[in-house]
């Protein structure tokens, strides 16, 4: 009996000390598991519209003439600015096809020919194009090539001596660029585009004949807003 009583007393003392120690411990804190946030899936499919600014540079400055006294200036760099609208379709899953219409106003895009008596001037006030484009996307980035039909104003080759001029207002264009989605529904781009309007020729009543290649190189930066797109799409599970 004495042994049993001693054992019971030891057990009671142990229980009491354990309870006292547990009461002194700080309350347990619980941490919530982090919320799973899937990586955004960027979708370029949809319509867009935007603006651009840049510069145009004369292409081939060579010309042919039967007038040894005829000289020509080189086209200076011209400021250009305008807008674009288009639509893209993303497929398979990183490729993109699209169509785009673009128009740019130009300043200081003149080329002048003169021999002192004859003064002829070729001037373009605007450029436009309708192009298809093919691109490769990686997340918010896009690299693309484009090509299609080019247009310009039909100012002709004006001169102070009458003549017959063949100057085309329709040609072709090719180019390419980089575009980046920096915010939901917004992207920025940098683009190179080449315009070719074949050969312009003229025959003046003073006997001067003239022909030259009519082309331009342009570099542009732009901003696009994507309609019916709503920014990055998050995968749902």
């Amino acid at each position: 009996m004495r042994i049993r009583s001693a054992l019971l007393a030891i057990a009671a003392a142990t229980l009491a000390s354990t309870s006292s120690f547990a009461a002194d411990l700080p309350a347990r804190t619980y941490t919530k598991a982090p919320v799973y946030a899937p990586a955004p899936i960027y979708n370029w499919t949809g319509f867009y519209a935007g603006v651009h600014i840049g510069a145009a540079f004369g292409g081939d400055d060579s010309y042919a003439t039967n007038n040894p006294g005829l000289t020509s200036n080189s086209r200076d760099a011209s400021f250009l600015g305008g807008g674009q609208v288009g639509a893209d379709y993303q497929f398979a899953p990183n490729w993109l096809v699209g169509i785009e219409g673009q128009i740019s106003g130009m300043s200081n895009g003149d080329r002048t020919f003169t021999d002192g008596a004859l003064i002829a001037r070729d001037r373009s006030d605007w450029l436009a194009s309708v192009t298809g484009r093919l691109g490769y996307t990686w997340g918010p980035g896009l690299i693309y090539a484009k090509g299609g039909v080019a247009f310009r104003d039909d100012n002709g080759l004006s001169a102070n001596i009458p003549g017959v001029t063949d100057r085309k207002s329709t040609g072709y264009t090719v180019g390419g660029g980089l575009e980046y989605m920096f915010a939901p529904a917004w992207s920025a781009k940098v683009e190179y585009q080449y315009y070719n309007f074949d050969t312009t020729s003229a025959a003046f009543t003073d006997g001067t004949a003239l022909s030259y290649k009519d082309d331009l190189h342009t570099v542009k930066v732009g901003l696009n807003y994507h309609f019916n797109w709503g920014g990055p799409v998050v995968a749902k599970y």
Side-chain angles (χ1 to χ4, degrees):
M1 286 295 290
R2 288 181 181 179
I3 294 173
R4 182 185 294 178
S5 299
L7 288 173
L8 285 172
I10 291 169
T14 303
L15 244 132
S17 64
T18 303
S19 300
S20 174
F21 177 75
D24 292 337
L25 288 175
R28 176 184 265 180
T29 57
Y30 294 90
T31 305
K32 289 185 178 180
V35 178
Y36 173 66
I41 300 172
Y42 294 88
N43 182 8
W44 290 83
T45 297
F47 293 93
Y48 64 88
V51 294
H52 64 264
I53 59 172
F57 306 89
D60 190 345
D61 285 333
S62 64
Y63 60 97
T65 181
N66 62 348
N67 183 343
L70 194 70
T71 60
S72 170
N73 70 316
S74 296
R75 276 185 175 141
D76 295 327
S78 306
F79 171 81
L80 60 81
Q84 63 272 349
V85 293
D88 290 323
Y89 177 73
Q90 186 175 341
F91 66 98
N94 298 105
W95 291 95
L96 173 147
V97 292
I99 185 169
E100 182 180 87
Q102 187 178 106
I103 186 166
S104 309
M106 294 178 60
S107 67
N108 191 33
D110 297 3
R111 185 177 185 183
T112 303
F113 300 88
T114 182
D115 63 0
L118 169 65
I119 302 173
R121 187 179 68 169
D122 188 331
R123 176 180 175 180
S124 293
D125 292 325
W126 56 265
L127 293 170
S129 63
V130 176
T131 57
R133 70 174 184 169
L134 175 66
Y136 181 82
T137 70
W138 65 98
L142 167 68
I143 184 170
Y144 63 89
K146 61 187 293 187
V149 184
F151 308 93
R152 64 176 173 180
D153 53 318
D154 193 15
N155 285 334
L157 181 67
S158 60
N160 63 335
I161 294 176
V164 177
T165 303
D166 178 17
R167 180 182 184 271
K168 299 173 180 63
S169 56
T170 304
Y172 73 88
T173 180
V174 293
L178 290 167
E179 194 164 349
Y180 185 81
M181 290 182 190
F182 63 90
W186 290 97
S187 64
K189 70 172 184 176
V190 58
E191 178 180 275
Y192 164 78
Q193 194 166 350
Y194 171 73
Y195 297 81
N196 188 298
F197 296 98
D198 200 12
T199 300
T200 294
S201 59
F204 301 98
T205 55
D206 70 348
T208 298
L210 171 66
S211 66
Y212 54 93
K213 186 177 180 180
D214 218 340
D215 61 348
L216 288 168
H217 303 270
T218 66
V219 178
K220 309 164 195 170
V221 293
L223 190 67
N224 284 328
Y225 180 80
H226 299 255
F227 297 95
N228 301 320
W229 169 43
V233 177
V234 177
K236 295 181 180 179
Y237 296 94

